[in-house]
Amino acid sequence: MTADDARYDDQGEVPLGGYAALASVFAAGVGTFALVARRRGVRLPQQVPPWDVVLLGAAAYKASRLLAKDKVTSFLRAPFTRRTGEGQGNEVLEEGRGSGLRRATGDLLSCPFCTAAWATGALVCSYAAAPRLTRLVCGGLGALTVSDWLQYAWTWTQQTVED
């Protein structure tokens, strides 16, 4: 870590280089998509209807929760994270482990807000290239989101009845 980095992070625990590498991968992915889409003649939509924004948002929310918190996807995060506890429903709590790029990847994979940016990027690129297919995928993820909310509502009503 450079002296300038130390002023940002007195404990030396923030993997700024790893974060920069991940941000570069994200930017390179978006740039590559833009170049390939342009060469293939993909026409971007003039506008995105509000309903599609809601659908994309619900899908990005659910995709990020699946990637960052679900027990079943913990095998994807395990090389980069350590489990610190149990969350609500089928979710787990984790934190990044190691240092450098490994730690930065663990921080990304254990944070639903962070993975939501990546999921949104993938969904928006997919929406530009194949809107009908993307709406179908987003519809499925959106339905799963509604199902989760209903599961939590049912659990809440049962706890309220028992109290």
Side-chain angles (χ1 to χ4, degrees), residues 2 13 18 26-27 34 38 40 46 50 54-55 57 61 64 72 78 80 82 88 90 101 104 107 136-137 148 153:
T2 68
E13 296 177 8
F26 183 86
R38 184 171 184 174
R40 292 194 175 168
Q46 288 284 23
V54 171
L55 194 58
Y61 163 80
S64 69
V72 176
F80 308 101
R82 108 176 28 88
Q88 294 273 331
N90 198 38
L101 185 58
D107 290 348
L136 178 64
V137 170
D148 285 353

Side-chain angles (χ1 to χ4, degrees), residues 33 37 42-45 122-131 134:
F33 170 79
V42 172
R43 294 178 48 131
L44 299 178
L123 290 169
V124 167
C125 289
S126 178
Y127 182 83
T134 305

